[in-house]
């Protein structure tokens, strides 16, 4: 097959707007981020007191970084290091990432050809010798902790020169080939366009721009803004302050007094609803999926745990008290939680000995298996096309198939 000429590199960023969107995976609604931020950030508090003497804190708290938390919250810091949240966004220079790709090749068959990878001190590069000659294409960032998808930020050569807005000038190319944890080898990135590549760009992957591109980075980092082809102010991964808000003020107070004022989750306005908004901002809320999906609830939605949980009777009938952290320590990876520990969470409610209180009446007990095996029958891990079988359906229910 004929080579796509080097000159076609000028067209490298013309690609079809297909991919994850078709699967509805990135069908994003409006995030309720500002609302949530107001709840966790102490900033609003200082704004409220602005009629009193202005202070140097008027600019609001700033990020201090997770190393600072180690000083006083050693255990949470240790746990978080092993959580998937600590490795959601890495440079391809990271040895863990490089190791997955270096020296490997992936035969995507016609019409895409064979991808070969090499690493040097500049990072990770891919070549497609039979289609793109010897030209190396640089892959910059790896998203994901088990499975890894590579992205690069590139100038958008198609942009309209009259409106040089930075986000118009940049596109993120999501690479065609990923490290697939469930297969333990390189494989095709879910949601990539399969038709014959019309441009050189489609050989390497598909392009994201505008809001989708920004959100892709937003959900995988603590701070950072795409400006041109750089990420300015990048703090990679989902760290402490992504969830708790900027902590400089908390740290300052904690250093000057034994009992610092309530911060973030310790504040009175922090409730179950705030927490669902927090986790759902990234793990997806019902607002992030289409109405059709919401009605039909295809298996694919197992990937979006808050969507399932919100329709569970466990949530609906427990006065909104059931939240993510009822079953997950937000700092501890699920890999470190045993099946038995998970069952204890269920039994904490579904047990005859659970006392009734004003808000929670006595709950039903399983007539089939009252003490064990709850997860496999009521919230099993489902096999999702191209995404492995690692997603537990958080719509907890009596299933026809069990
Ligand atoms: C800023 C976005 C973001 C927020 C907020 C967020 N997550 Fe995550 N979470 C992710 C990403 C991205 C991954 C995928 C990690 C990976 O594999 O790279 C993940 C993975 C996970 C995992 C599986 C990985 C593991 O090691 O256990 C759990 C469980 C989880 N999140 C729970 C939560 C809970 C509970 C909350 C709310 C308290 C939350 N997340 C808030 C982005 C987020
Ligand atoms: C709305 C927030 C959000 C956006 C936008 C988003 N992600 Fe994620 N991503 C998550 C969460 C949450 C997880 C963990 C649950 C899951 O795997 O679905 C995740 C998981 C992943 C994983 C799998 C990690 C693993 O260990 O298996 C990869 C790879 C990934 N994202 C890449 C991307 C890329 C590439 C983009 C942009 C094109 C993107 N994500 C956009 C929130 C997001
Ligand atoms: C994914 C979001 C998320 C991340 C990341 C996160 N936390 Fe938390 N954290 C929470 C939530 C939610 C709670 C409330 C838990 C509850 O109500 O049981 C919490 C509770 C806490 C608490 C009070 C309860 C306790 O466990 O002592 C401390 C202290 C804390 N976090 C510190 C940290 C530190 C330090 C880091 C980083 C090393 C961190 N958190 C990272 C979401 C997060
Ligand atoms: C100098 C010590 C110190 C440092 C540094 C520190 N904290 Fe704290 N933090 C405390 C103390 C003391 C409390 C009060 C509750 C307690 O005893 O754990 C607290 C409480 C919290 C709580 C629980 C909410 C509350 O008001 O009870 C969270 C969440 C938290 N810290 C997050 C963080 C994060 C995130 C960082 C790093 C960015 C951090 N802290 C750095 C001392 C510190
Ligand atoms: C916060 C308490 C709470 C927790 C934790 C909880 N549930 Fe529930 N669950 C309920 C309530 C309330 C109902 C409504 C029926 C009742 O009162 O028992 C319910 C209903 C159910 C039902 C019947 C659903 C239906 O559609 O009729 C099943 C099955 C179930 N739970 C399984 C589980 C499993 C499995 C777990 C653990 C993964 C779990 N629950 C954790 C409170 C809880
Ligand atoms: C009633 C208990 C329960 C609640 C509530 C709950 N989870 Fe889970 N979650 C589980 C269990 C059980 C697993 C499977 C753990 C394992 O494989 O070790 C799981 C797994 C996960 C995973 C890993 C991927 C997957 O789907 O298997 C993520 C991410 C996750 N939960 C996020 C959340 C978020 C976000 C919330 C809040 C909206 C939440 N969970 C609420 C019990 C719960
Ligand atoms: C072998 C599969 C299996 C296991 C294991 C299992 N269940 Fe069930 N469960 C069922 C089935 C099937 C039903 C429906 C029974 C019926 O309608 O007669 C059910 C019903 C329930 C109900 C609804 C009861 C009612 O009266 O409405 C709850 C709550 C429940 N299970 C919780 C649990 C919990 C908690 C565990 C773990 C301690 C568990 N189940 C383990 C299969 C299972």
């Amino acid at each position: 097959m004929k080579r796509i000429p080097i000159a076609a590199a000028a067209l490298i960023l013309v690609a079809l707007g297909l991919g994850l969107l078709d699967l509805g995976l990135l069908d994003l609604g409006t995030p309720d981020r500002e609302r949530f931020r107001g709840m966790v950030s102490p900033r609003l508090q200082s704004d409220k007191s602005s009629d009193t003497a202005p202070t140097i804190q008027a600019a609001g708290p700033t990020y201090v970084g997770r190393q600072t938390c180690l000083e006083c919250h050693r255990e949470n810091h240790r746990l978080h290091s092993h959580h998937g949240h600590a490795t959601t966004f890495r440079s391809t220079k990271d040895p863990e990432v490089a190791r997955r790709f270096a020296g490997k090749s992936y035969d995507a068959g016609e019409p895409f050809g064979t991808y070969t990878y090499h690493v040097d001190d500049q990072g990770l590069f891919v070549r497609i010798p039979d289609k793109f000659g010897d030209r190396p294409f640089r892959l910059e960032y790896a998203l994901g902790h088990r499975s890894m998808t590579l992205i690069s930020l590139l100038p958008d050569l198609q942009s309209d020169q009259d409106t040089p807005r930075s986000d118009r000038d940049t596109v993120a190319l999501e690479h065609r080939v990923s490290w697939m944890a469930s297969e333990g080898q390189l494989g095709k990135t879910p949601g990539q366009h399969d038709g014959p590549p019309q441009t050189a760009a489609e050989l390497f992957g598909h392009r994201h721009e505008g809001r989708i591109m920004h959100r892709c980075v937003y959900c995988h980092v603590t701070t950072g803004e795409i400006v041109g082809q750089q990420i300015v102010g990048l703090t990679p991964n989902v760290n402490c302050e992504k969830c708790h808000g900027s902590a400089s003020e908390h740290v300052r107070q904690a250093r000057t007094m034994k009992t610092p004022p309530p911060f973030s989750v310790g504040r009175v306005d922090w409730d179950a609803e705030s927490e669902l908004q927090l986790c759902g901002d990234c793990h997806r809320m019902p607002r992030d999926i289409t109405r059709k999906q919401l009605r039909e609830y295809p298996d694919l939605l197992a990937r979006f745990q808050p969507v399932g949980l919100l329709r569970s009777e466990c949530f609906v009938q427990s006065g909104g008290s059931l939240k993510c952290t009822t079953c997950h320590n937000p700092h501890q990876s699920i890999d470190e939680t045993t099946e038995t520990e998970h069952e204890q969470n269920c039994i904490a409610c579904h047990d005859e000995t659970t006392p009734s209180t004003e808000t929670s009446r006595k709950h039903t007990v399983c007539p089939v298996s009252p003490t064990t095996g709850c997860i496999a029958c009521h919230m099993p891990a489902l096999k999702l096309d191209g995404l492995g079988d690692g997603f537990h359906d958080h719509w907890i229910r009596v299933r026809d198939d069990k």
Side-chain angles (χ1 to χ4, degrees):
M1 189 183 160
K2 82 170 181 3
R3 264 188 193 175
I4 293 181
I6 305 291
L11 290 173
I12 195 156
L13 297 163
V14 185
L16 301 177
L18 292 172
L20 286 178
L21 262 182
D22 298 329
L23 290 176
L25 289 184
L26 287 176
D27 196 354
L28 306 166
T30 314
D32 220 349
R33 186 183 170 201
E34 290 316 315
R35 187 164 158 227
F36 152 66
R37 285 278 167 244
M39 287 178 177
V40 288
S41 163
R43 183 173 189 154
L44 287 187
Q45 274 187 333
S46 44
D47 289 352
K48 267 185 221 149
S49 56
S50 60
D51 51 348
T52 59
T55 66
I56 40 164
Q57 302 146 30
T62 52
Y63 287 93
V64 298
R66 67 188 288 280
Q67 274 315 106
T68 310
C69 318
L70 171 64
E71 186 187 324
C72 308
H73 301 294
R74 184 164 289 277
E75 181 59 5
N76 284 352
H77 186 276
R78 187 189 68 79
L79 288 173
H80 178 260
S81 313
H82 303 294
H83 196 288
H85 286 156
T87 41
T88 54
F89 196 91
R90 287 179 276 194
S91 159
T92 54
K93 290 179 190 162
D94 183 304
E96 267 293 296
V97 178
R99 191 167 64 83
R100 301 281 188 220
F101 292 87
K104 302 222 168 91
S105 60
Y106 175 76
D107 182 0
E110 283 303 328
F112 293 97
T114 298
Y115 296 71
T116 63
Y117 297 87
H118 87 272
V119 174
D120 62 25
D121 53 4
Q122 299 298 303
L124 175 66
F125 294 87
V126 59
R127 286 187 172 82
I128 319 177
D130 45 338
K131 308 286 177 194
F132 205 64
D134 201 34
R135 257 177 85 106
F137 183 89
R138 178 146 176 250
L139 299 161
E140 284 180 276
Y141 301 109
L143 280 73
H145 126 94
R146 291 193 192 84
S147 294
M148 292 176 196
T149 296
L150 306 168
I151 63 166
S152 292
L153 297 174
L154 304 168
D156 184 357
L157 303 176
Q158 295 290 301
S159 77
D160 174 357
Q161 295 304 310
D162 293 338
T163 51
R165 266 209 355 244
S166 57
D167 57 347
R168 287 243 181 103
D169 290 340
T170 306
V171 294
L173 199 82
E174 182 183 4
H175 189 45
R176 258 194 96 68
V177 181
S178 290
W179 172 261
M180 305 301 281
S182 52
E183 283 119 62
Q185 59 186 25
L186 301 184
K188 200 183 80 171
T189 306
Q192 294 270 322
H193 172 52
D194 270 334
Q198 306 297 315
T199 66
E202 284 173 42
L203 279 174
F204 290 100
H206 85 232
R207 91 188 218 152
H208 296 293
E209 56 193 351
R211 189 175 142 70
I212 301 237
M213 172 180 77
H214 288 283
R215 285 286 287 175
C216 176
V217 171
Y218 167 83
C219 289
H220 285 256
V221 306
T222 297
T223 62
E225 200 67 49
I226 298 171
V227 177
Q229 286 78 59
Q230 309 284 321
I231 304 177
V232 175
L234 174 64
T235 310
N237 309 321
V238 180
N239 287 348
C240 321
E241 290 165 284
K242 181 76 168 194
C243 292
H244 291 299
S246 307
S248 61
E249 194 46 26
H250 167 67
V251 171
R252 191 188 64 78
Q253 290 167 333
R255 286 197 174 127
T256 52
M257 56 187 101
K258 265 218 176 74
T259 47
F263 166 58
S264 173
V265 301
R267 287 176 46 178
V268 285
D269 54 359
W270 182 266
D271 53 12
E273 149 92 347
S274 308
E275 190 196 282
L276 278 164
Q277 296 281 1
L278 166 64
C279 310
D281 191 24
C282 298
H283 288 274
R284 317 309 202 282
M285 292 293 265
R287 62 172 177 263
D288 298 321
I289 62 174
T290 63
R291 278 185 205 172
K292 186 169 184 289
Q293 286 177 320
L294 211 48
R295 269 196 306 270
E296 295 170 5
Y297 199 83
D299 280 356
L300 192 63
L301 290 186
R303 191 172 175 185
F304 303 156
Q305 299 84 6
V307 177
L309 188 68
L310 286 171
R311 59 202 285 157
S312 300
E313 290 304 318
C314 307
F315 174 78
V316 176
Q317 295 198 43
S318 55
S321 66
L322 183 62
K323 49 185 177 167
C324 311
T325 56
T326 306
C327 305
H328 297 287
N329 176 337
H331 314 105
Q332 185 174 23
S333 172
I334 49 164
D335 298 344
E336 294 176 28
T337 312
T338 64
E339 182 96 21
T340 319
E341 284 168 328
H342 275 303
E343 290 167 5
Q344 291 313 311
N345 291 328
C346 312
I347 293 164
C349 285
H350 295 288
D351 180 5
E352 277 153 0
T353 61
T354 308
S356 301
T357 65
E358 270 175 43
T359 45
S360 80
R361 58 189 169 78
K362 229 180 199 125
H363 302 307
T364 46
V365 174
C366 185
V368 177
S369 172
T371 56
T372 184
C374 331
I375 311 299
C377 287
H378 295 298
M379 53 179 306
L382 302 183
K383 178 145 188 61
L384 307 181
D385 256 0
L387 294 168
D389 50 7
F391 291 98
H392 291 77
D393 189 347
H394 281 57
W395 180 10
I396 304 167
R397 62 192 191 278
V398 175
R399 307 175 69 98
D400 301 340
D401 50 351
K402 295 282 169 187

